């Protein structure tokens, strides 16, 4: 069995909301080409995959069958609802979750769901996460590396993190266009999927670690795509300042950590395989984290499901490790 944990969709209502949104993010139709998805005034992407995102039956299931993917865990595509005005985001998240629940109920053998939440109303978001997990059967929360003006580690969002730990469900930390302005100096060549997406997402994971989030919520699990956005390569490096005494903790700024940073990366982070088909990156991730902390993710429809699975099938690794990755053991078996 192959379970794809990064498989994106959209709803007509979500698209209409972004088309009507006076602020950002918003979708703007173009007279001479594809619509543009604006994350900010100086950051947009061509919105070419609308039809594929909306399709959750014909094209998607054909792609799943061609790749040998048994089930796909669907998540609302970036930028989700996090950056919207909180009351709008909360209403839209609930409607998207209800629509996703209908999709899953129609094809429970093919689809599962990640919740969409609007964390700027953290108490409502925590209640919606509980509804999604307990009532709708979703496996966790898919969120993004920034919320337009803030990051997941900030304490205002801790009620949602506390609820995720209580429910024993993971949080998929997915990239979106960075809010760091220097990433956007040269447009999407730097800010986009080739670099800025992953760099900011990796930074947010390190903010969670250095900010002491995992000492407060030790069972919290964070999922990062693209072989954990390069963090397995840094497993030794992130510890060196602490081992060498170059970090002097100011409790007014950051707490003293109970563990070395690499411990949290190995204990609290799960990597997916999406959109990085480089053998050395694969080897670094699997050897650094262990295959039990790696699960299948294809990033469909932005990447090819078949290309991802074909790449993984061609790698030199044990049958047991491959089975752990393809079955999603690190996510579906609960805290590790």
């Amino acid at each position: 069995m192959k379970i794809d944990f990064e498989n994106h969709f959209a709803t007509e209502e979500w698209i209409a909301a972004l088309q009507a949104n006076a602020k950002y993010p918003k979708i703007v139709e173009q007279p001479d080409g594809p619509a543009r998805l604006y994350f900010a005034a100086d950051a947009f992407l061509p919105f070419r995959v609308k039809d594929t995102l909306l399709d959750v039956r014909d094209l998607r299931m054909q792609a799943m069958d061609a790749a040998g993917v048994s089930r796909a865990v669907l998540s609302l595509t970036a930028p989700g609802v996090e950056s919207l005005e909180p009351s709008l985001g909360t209403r839209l998240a609930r409607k998207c979750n209800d629509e996703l629940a209908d999709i899953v109920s129609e094809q429970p053998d093919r689809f599962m769901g990640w919740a969409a939440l609007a964390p700027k109303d953290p108490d409502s978001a925590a209640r919606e996460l509980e509804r999604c997990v307990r009532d709708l059967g979703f496996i966790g929360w898919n969120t993004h590396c920034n919320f337009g003006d803030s990051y997941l580690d900030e304490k205002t969002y801790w009620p949602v993190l506390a609820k995720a730990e209580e429910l024993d469900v993971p949080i998929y930390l997915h990239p979106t266009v960075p809010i760091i302005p220097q990433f956007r100096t040269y447009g999407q060549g730097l800010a986009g999927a080739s670099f800025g997406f992953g760099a900011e997402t990796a930074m947010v994971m390190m903010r969670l670690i250095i900010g002491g989030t995992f000492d407060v919520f030790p069972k919290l699990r964070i999922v990062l795509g693209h072989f954990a956005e390069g963090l397995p390569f840094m497993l030794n490096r992130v510890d060196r300042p602490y081992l060498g005494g170059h970090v002097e903790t100011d409790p007014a700024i950051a707490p003293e950590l109970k563990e070395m940073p690499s411990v949290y990366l190995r204990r609290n982070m799960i990597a997916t395989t999406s959109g990085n088909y480089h053998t050395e990156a694969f080897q670094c991730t699997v050897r650094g984290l262990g295959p039990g902390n790696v699960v299948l993710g294809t990033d469909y429809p932005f990447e090819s499901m078949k290309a991802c699975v074909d790449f993984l099938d061609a790698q030199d690794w044990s049958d047991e490790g491959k089975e752990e990755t393809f079955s999603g053991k690190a996510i579906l078996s609960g805290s590790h």
Side-chain angles (χ1 to χ4, degrees):
M1 172 178 285
K2 295 182 176 69
I3 302 174
D4 177 7
F5 287 90
E6 188 181 349
N7 204 292
H8 305 296
F9 84 111
T11 70
E12 293 279 10
E13 190 161 3
W14 178 82
I15 291 172
L18 266 61
Q19 289 171 331
N21 194 26
K23 299 180 180 179
Y24 298 100
K26 61 184 176 181
I27 294 172
V28 179
E29 299 296 330
Q30 302 297 307
D32 56 351
R36 289 178 176 179
L37 174 55
Y38 278 88
F39 297 80
D42 62 346
F44 70 87
L45 293 172
F47 195 51
R48 295 193 181 101
V49 293
K50 172 184 173 182
D51 292 342
T52 318
L53 285 167
L54 290 171
D55 178 275
V56 290
R57 293 168 180 86
D58 298 332
L59 294 175
R60 190 178 305 261
M61 293 184 71
Q62 289 172 23
M64 291 170 64
D65 291 342
V69 170
S70 309
R71 302 176 81 180
V73 190
L74 301 180
S75 56
L76 184 63
T77 192
V81 299
E82 292 92 336
S83 298
L84 296 172
E85 186 274 325
S87 62
L88 171 61
T90 298
R91 292 195 303 272
L92 191 57
R94 187 178 182 92
K95 290 180 178 179
C96 290
N97 291 331
D98 285 342
E99 187 164 335
L100 177 55
D102 289 342
I103 294 167
V104 172
S105 67
E106 290 174 11
Q107 293 280 353
D109 57 330
R110 302 308 303 269
F111 295 122
M112 294 185 286
W114 290 104
L117 304 177
K120 290 187 178 181
D121 184 346
D123 292 333
S124 293
R127 289 193 297 271
E128 178 65 3
L129 178 59
E130 184 159 26
R131 183 182 81 95
C132 286
V133 172
R134 296 196 188 281
D135 298 342
L136 306 184
F138 291 177
I139 69 166
W141 172 28
N142 180 88
T143 191
H144 296 92
C145 64
N146 69 71
F147 303 154
D149 56 5
S150 52
Y151 294 115
L152 179 63
D153 64 284
E154 296 178 26
K155 290 185 178 180
T156 188
Y157 304 124
W158 280 19
V160 194
L161 303 186
K163 182 59 67 175
E165 185 184 52
E166 175 191 329
L167 295 167
D168 193 19
V169 295
I171 297 171
Y172 201 123
L173 186 62
H174 187 274
T176 189
V177 170
I179 57 176
I180 300 169
Q182 288 81 3
F183 272 126
R184 303 207 296 264
T185 300
Y186 301 107
Q188 292 305 308
L190 182 65
S194 62
F195 184 75
F197 276 27
E200 190 177 64
T201 306
M203 182 196 73
V204 176
M205 184 64 191
M206 291 305 300
R207 284 175 62 104
L208 287 163
I209 291 172
I210 303 304
T213 305
F214 297 113
D215 288 338
V216 178
F217 307 111
K219 295 182 180 179
L220 187 66
R221 293 172 291 150
I222 306 293
V223 185
L224 272 69
H226 318 109
F227 293 134
E229 312 296 0
L231 285 171
F233 184 80
M234 303 292 290
L235 283 168
N236 178 272
R237 183 66 175 167
V238 295
D239 285 349
R240 294 190 68 77
Y242 289 84
L243 293 168
H246 297 297
V247 174
E248 185 174 351
T249 300
D250 180 350
I253 298 173
E256 183 174 346
L257 299 180
K258 295 180 180 179
E259 307 284 357
M260 289 289 114
S262 66
V263 172
Y264 304 99
L265 291 176
R266 289 189 172 99
R267 188 185 72 194
N268 299 93
M269 183 177 72
I270 299 167
T272 76
T273 60
S274 50
N276 188 346
Y277 309 142
H278 186 53
T279 295
E280 285 73 15
F282 163 83
Q283 292 173 341
C284 178
T285 304
V286 171
R287 292 176 182 176
L289 301 181
N293 283 342
V294 181
V295 300
L296 174 63
T298 70
D299 206 1
Y300 179 88
F302 303 99
E303 299 278 351
S304 162
M305 276 191 252
K306 191 171 190 310
C308 180
V309 173
D310 285 350
F311 169 79
L312 294 170
D313 279 338
Q315 302 310 303
D316 182 17
W317 54 334
S318 70
D319 290 341
E320 180 183 2
K322 188 180 296 187
E323 173 60 25
E324 285 186 322
T325 291
F326 285 150
S327 67
K329 179 181 177 181
I331 289 180
L332 299 181
S333 64
S335 296
H336 51 202

